[in-house]
Amino acid sequence: MTETIAQRTVRPPAATPSLGGVGLFTVLLAAALPLIDFFIVNVALPTIGRDLHASESVLELVVAGYGLAYAVLLVLGGRLGDLFGRRRFFLGGMAAFGLTSLACGLAPSAWTLVAARVAQGASAAAMLPQILATIQAATAGPRRAKAMGLYGATAGLSMVAGQILGGVLVAADIAGTGWRAVFLVNVPVVVVGLLLAARAVPETRSRHPEPVDGPGTVLLTASLLALLAPLTEGRSAGWPLWTWLSLAAFPFLAAAFYAVERRADRRGRTPLVPPSLFELTSLRRGLVMILPFSVGFSGFMFVIAVALQRGAGLGPVRAGLALAPMAAVFFFVSLAGPRLVARYGTRVVTAGALLQGLGIGLMALAAWRSWPDLGLVTLLPGAVFAGGGQALQLPIVYRVVLSEVEPVRAGVGSGVMMTTQQSALALGVAALGTLFLSLVPGSGMRNALVVTLLAQLGCVVVTGLLSLRLPRTIG
């Protein structure tokens, strides 16, 4: 018995889980799904409205329901993965995403579609935080840098490709499915992903599981709903009183959330979002930089889609393809990001902001000179520079945010980052979208587009200035 105990005592610790090539491909495939689905619906909304006899307010809920559920549950999804196993939540979230996508594609009515979209957003929130957390916990050194670069490339490409793919699928009308194809296309992808994940994605979790922080979860949910619900629904509803009351309540709910989390941290309990997480300089400064970047990006995607289709008269396919050069350049430039960072540090991010600013300026100039003859050729120079500049920012900032986060907190760290980005995406559509649409009646589509692009240029300038405060090197 003594010998057995001694043998157990000297037994080497279990090997650190490792994410191989097939596993990395699988989690990146899964990462693309929620981001594509956030944007893919935009071009399908008119067809959905005609087919399901849905009002504009209900169509807004098709978009907002997904975004709200997705945003408010991301941190909780990351925390649960830390506690009970990231692979388990990844597989469960992916399976649920496939089933809810099927429910969206088969929805017989508009309200059924809204409910399915809310469930789809919740399943995405269970799946997505596990991806970054698994990369953080199961890779190290150059392999982690490469994996994070590929994640950033996938994320950026997915957000641009979503609108392109949506237009192609709706126009193709595969087997008479029409708009339903934008949801049904997820099902075979999920089946392949589940088969690969079951074999290639390792299990990682916190070594010391703690119970879920109930009060923190409730207050975070209430805070995000108070902020995001009026931002996503306010414009279409005409900004009624409840939207302003909700926005006014947000800072008080956020302050209450912080107080509860800080008290829990001081008493030795594990809060949902440990305040000590924000003591990490890289995480704090990276999150601040994500805000203007995502606000400008989502606002641009919304405004350019409306301007090209309603103003320039392009169909959904041609409007989407006008952004194809941006997506292609983003992907290839982002692959070079790890090597550039290794040589020049985070000043690469500042260079990216300069390139993106040049691209946005060229697009504004093209809109001013060539309106309404906008399309692939006229937007090409600006799209190339903007895509390359974005590729030198987003993947690298992802790395910066999580660079100092301990593996045991990787899930909550990635959840906080994704929640920040998702909230900024909603804010961008609300802010720049409202600016654009309010200028159109009095100034015309061309002038409204130019002014909005210049507003986005302001976001790029802020991003570039903030990048100067990033740590020079990434750990």
Side-chain angles (χ1 to χ4, degrees):
M1 184 66 163
T2 304
E3 184 180 33
T4 303
I5 293 174
Q7 290 172 349
R8 290 176 182 171
T9 303
V10 300
R11 181 177 294 171
T16 302
S18 177
L19 185 67
V22 176
L24 179 60
F25 169 80
T26 304
V27 296
L28 293 179
L29 179 68
L33 290 174
L35 295 171
I36 286 176
D37 261 57
F38 185 78
F39 291 96
I40 198 172
V41 179
N42 288 343
V43 295
L45 287 177
T47 310
I48 294 173
R50 288 193 299 270
D51 188 31
L52 298 182
H53 308 290
S55 65
E56 183 178 345
S57 60
V58 175
L59 290 177
E60 286 285 336
L61 287 174
V62 172
V63 178
Y66 176 85
L68 285 172
Y70 183 24
V72 301
L73 295 174
L74 274 167
V75 175
L76 179 61
R79 175 66 182 276
L80 291 174
D82 284 349
L83 300 183
F84 302 116
R86 296 166 188 134
R87 180 177 181 271
R88 178 184 301 176
F89 266 80
F90 175 74
L91 291 171
M94 181 179 266
F97 192 86
L99 291 173
T100 53
S101 296
L102 180 63
C104 289
L106 300 178
S109 67
W111 285 107
T112 305
L113 178 59
V114 170
R117 283 284 283 173
V118 171
Q120 189 186 35
S123 64
M127 175 177 66
L128 192 64
Q130 320 314 329
I131 296 168
L132 276 173
T134 298
I135 291 175
Q136 188 77 355
T139 61
R143 290 187 66 247
R144 179 183 294 173
K146 181 180 179 181
M148 290 297 293
L150 288 171
Y151 177 88
T154 302
L157 183 63
S158 299
M159 289 188 281
V160 178
Q163 291 188 185
I164 301 173
L165 181 61
V168 171
L169 288 174
V170 171
D173 193 21
I174 302 171
T177 54
W179 61 268
R180 298 178 186 275
V182 304
F183 301 112
L184 296 176
V185 71
N186 293 332
V187 177
V189 177
V190 165
V191 171
V192 172
L194 287 171
L195 293 174
L196 293 174
R199 298 176 61 88
V201 176
E203 179 66 281
T204 61
R205 70 178 73 195
S206 173
R207 294 181 181 178
H208 306 288
E210 297 284 349
V212 173
D213 174 16
T217 301
V218 171
L219 282 170
L220 178 62
T221 300
S223 300
L224 290 173
L225 283 175
L227 174 66
L228 296 180
L231 290 180
T232 53
E233 283 293 295
R235 179 175 55 84
S236 63
W239 299 103
L241 179 61
W242 73 264
T243 60
W244 299 108
L245 293 176
S246 182
L247 289 172
F250 167 70
F252 297 100
L253 290 169
F257 169 70
Y258 179 76
V260 166
E261 298 297 271
R262 189 175 181 182
R263 184 173 59 186
D265 211 7
R266 286 177 172 175
R267 293 183 176 180
R269 298 196 296 266
T270 303
L272 179 68
V273 180
S276 56
L277 201 64
F278 295 94
E279 295 175 2
L280 301 175
T281 301
S282 56
L283 180 137
R284 187 175 62 252
R285 294 182 179 177
L287 289 179
V288 170
M289 188 178 163
I290 281 176
L291 287 170
F293 180 91
S294 298
V295 165
F297 183 86
S298 64
F300 167 80
M301 293 298 293
F302 173 80
V303 168
I304 201 70
V306 173
L308 291 179
Q309 292 185 70
R310 296 184 187 176
L314 302 183
V317 176
R318 289 181 62 197
L321 291 178
L323 300 178
M326 179 185 290
V329 172
F330 184 105
F331 180 76
F332 288 109
V333 172
S334 63
L335 297 181
R339 293 193 297 274
L340 293 172
V341 171
R343 184 170 182 179
Y344 301 108
T346 56
R347 290 299 174 262
V348 171
V349 180
T350 308
L354 292 172
L355 286 176
Q356 185 188 5
L358 176 59
I360 298 300
L362 289 174
M363 287 188 182
L365 184 61
W368 179 261
R369 287 182 172 179
S370 303
W371 184 265
D373 299 320
L374 289 184
L376 177 63
V377 175
T378 51
L379 293 176
L380 180 62
V384 167
F385 281 105
Q390 290 165 351
L392 295 178
Q393 295 175 81
L394 188 62
I396 298 168
V397 174
Y398 281 164
R399 283 181 58 193
V400 169
V401 170
L402 296 177
S403 60
E404 296 181 295
V405 177
E406 298 174 1
V408 294
R409 287 181 167 181
V412 68
S414 62
V416 168
M417 185 176 71
M418 292 293 99
T419 300
T420 301
Q421 183 182 45
Q422 185 68 28
S423 302
L425 290 174
L427 178 59
V429 173
L432 295 186
T434 299
L435 173 64
F436 173 74
L437 294 175
S438 64
L439 289 174
V440 169
S443 303
M445 188 78 75
R446 183 191 72 167
N447 292 342
L449 177 59
V450 171
V451 170
T452 308
L453 288 174
L454 293 177
Q456 190 201 354
L457 184 58
C459 293
V460 175
V461 171
V462 172
T463 303
L465 293 174
L466 290 172
S467 71
L468 297 174
R469 301 187 70 245
L470 292 176
R472 189 64 186 266
T473 58
I474 303 177

